[in-house]
Amino acid sequence: MEPVFMILGQSAATAALLALSHQVPLHDLNPGVLRSRLEADGQRLSIDLDRFPPRPALPGTPLFRDRHESEPLIEPPARAAAHRP
């Protein structure tokens, strides 16, 4: 399994456990509490750019990619707050 998905699964499970144990809805969970628990569990939440610098782009690699005509144009969803009474 890819490490990114393993980290995501661990983070989601930890957040759910903390929300249940604090008896709060998941979205009301204090992010600092989650961060502290994940760090205590050994999860890295930031990257040391001195130790792991970004790789330079290969020559000729564009920074941004244009949408190909065969790709659907996906509009961002309308903000829910704009539709509230």
Side-chain angles (χ1 to χ4, degrees):
M1 182 178 250
E2 287 198 38
V4 172
F5 297 125
M6 293 172 16
I7 292 168
L8 179 62
Q10 178 187 3
S11 300
T14 301
L17 174 71
L18 288 173
L20 287 172
S21 65
H22 286 90
Q23 297 182 347
V24 297
L26 185 61
H27 288 88
D28 292 340
L29 181 65
N30 182 335
V33 171
L34 176 60
R35 174 179 275 280
S36 296
R37 179 61 183 265
L38 290 173
E39 288 174 342
D41 290 344
Q43 192 175 116
R44 292 186 196 154
L45 301 177
S46 60
I47 187 165
D48 181 358
L49 292 177
D50 291 329
R51 186 171 174 201
F52 302 103
R55 286 187 251 170
L58 296 174
T61 304
L63 294 178
F64 298 99
R65 183 179 73 80
D66 291 330
R67 183 181 65 84
H68 187 267
E69 63 189 31
S70 66
E71 295 176 303
L73 179 61
I74 300 173
E75 296 291 332
R79 296 192 65 162
H83 299 290
R84 290 186 185 149

